[in-house]
Amino acid sequence: MARRLVGKVALVTGGSSGIGRASALAFAREGAKVVVADVSVEGGVGTVRLIKEAGGEALFIKADMAKATEIEAMVYMAVKASGRLDCAHNNAGIEGALATTAECPEENWDRVVSINLKGVWLCMKYEIPQMLKQGGGTIVNTASGAGLVGVPQMPAYVASKHGVVGLTKTAALEYAKSGVRVNAVCPGVIQTPMVERVTRQRPVEEQMMVAEPVGRRGKPEEVAEAVVWLCSEAASFVTGQTMAVDGGASAQ
């Protein structure tokens, strides 16, 4: 089977674990040179090591999605090192503290929205000009099943992910005629460190499992396959879409 992204450069934020790591490995498998970005140096370097051990090409850039200067520098360094930027998976995010809307601390709200929503906007703010300069590119933003429905005790997370969905659609319309495609994936309950942290609370775990019609959690690799497809020429007529990868949860 022909590799779909040979000669391309892909940037993955939040690439130190979970969906981001799986995405980075999938991009590399398809022939792309991968730039892994994360605030976690150990995890990010670990992802790069896995890619190189599999015969791929990758580099790590430390970047905090809560800091605009670091996001701008991340894109600049990625392009400087690789010459271009063809694909971007803006995946970094946090769940924040569990609390009802009235009890959610303001600092929790600000941090979650800053990383999950403002961080995605800042990534696109610096990725899109480079893609326009080179004649096109593809962006996939990680939203969430929580970007499609409400989830009790996660007001900041839900608001941020709904925002990512709207932002994705807006950017897709703005740049559709310029060769830049922008889509989002909405993962359901996926076996990731984030979900593990949330599901340490037994009642939440039961609610999440009931929400999955297929009766199991998803795998990061299953989300990564959707991301890579959206970045490939096979999806050349797809933009502005929110693809649920959730075992049927959003169909209920």
Side-chain angles (χ1 to χ4, degrees):
M1 182 177 177
R3 297 195 295 172
R4 294 173 287 182
L5 298 172
V6 173
K8 303 292 187 180
V9 176
L11 168 65
V12 180
T13 70
S16 68
S17 64
I19 292 170
R21 172 171 283 182
S23 172
L25 289 165
F27 275 120
R29 182 199 68 212
E30 294 296 330
K33 178 178 180 180
V34 184
V35 180
V36 178
D38 204 293
V39 70
S40 168
V41 175
E42 182 179 1
V45 170
T47 299
V48 169
R49 183 179 66 253
L50 290 172
I51 290 172
K52 291 182 176 180
E53 287 174 352
E57 187 176 359
L59 63 93
F60 173 72
I61 297 174
K62 184 179 183 297
D64 185 343
M65 294 300 107
K67 298 179 179 178
T69 55
E70 292 194 17
I71 294 174
E72 181 179 14
M74 171 190 73
V75 175
Y76 172 81
M77 289 187 288
V79 174
K80 184 177 181 180
S82 306
R84 58 188 297 111
L85 179 61
D86 301 287
C87 312
H89 181 198
N90 299 322
N91 168 75
I94 61 172
E95 72 278 15
L98 296 182
T100 62
T101 300
E103 296 173 342
C104 177
E106 184 175 355
E107 58 270 23
N108 178 67
W109 176 278
D110 289 344
R111 178 161 174 75
V112 171
V113 172
S114 176
I115 293 173
N116 292 6
L117 179 55
K118 185 179 179 181
V120 169
W121 167 66
L122 285 167
C123 284
M124 290 201 294
K125 178 178 176 65
Y126 296 110
E127 292 160 354
I128 289 171
Q130 173 61 33
M131 291 179 176
L132 292 174
K133 186 185 304 182
Q134 64 195 33
T138 58
I139 295 172
V140 177
N141 298 319
T142 296
S144 170
L148 303 173
V149 299
V151 180
Q153 298 189 341
M154 300 186 78
Y157 185 80
V158 170
S160 70
K161 293 302 185 177
H162 273 72
V164 169
V165 169
L167 180 61
T168 296
K169 292 179 179 181
T170 296
L173 292 174
E174 291 170 339
Y175 300 102
K177 293 183 179 179
S178 301
V180 177
R181 294 189 296 106
V182 188
N183 293 288
V185 288
C186 293
V189 183
I190 308 297
Q191 191 71 43
T192 64
M194 178 187 290
V195 167
E196 285 299 315
R197 290 192 296 269
V198 173
T199 57
R200 287 183 188 135
Q201 300 184 46
R202 182 64 183 173
V204 175
E205 181 174 7
E206 291 176 351
Q207 292 168 18
M208 285 184 165
M209 293 311 295
V210 168
E212 296 294 340
V214 299
R216 66 170 177 86
R217 296 181 185 179
K219 302 173 184 177
E221 292 78 12
E222 292 173 308
V223 181
E225 292 301 325
V227 172
V228 168
W229 180 77
L230 286 168
C231 287
S232 75
E233 282 302 307
S236 59
F237 201 56
V238 180
T239 194
Q241 300 304 303
T242 52
M243 179 180 287
V245 187
D246 65 358
S250 57
Q252 297 180 110

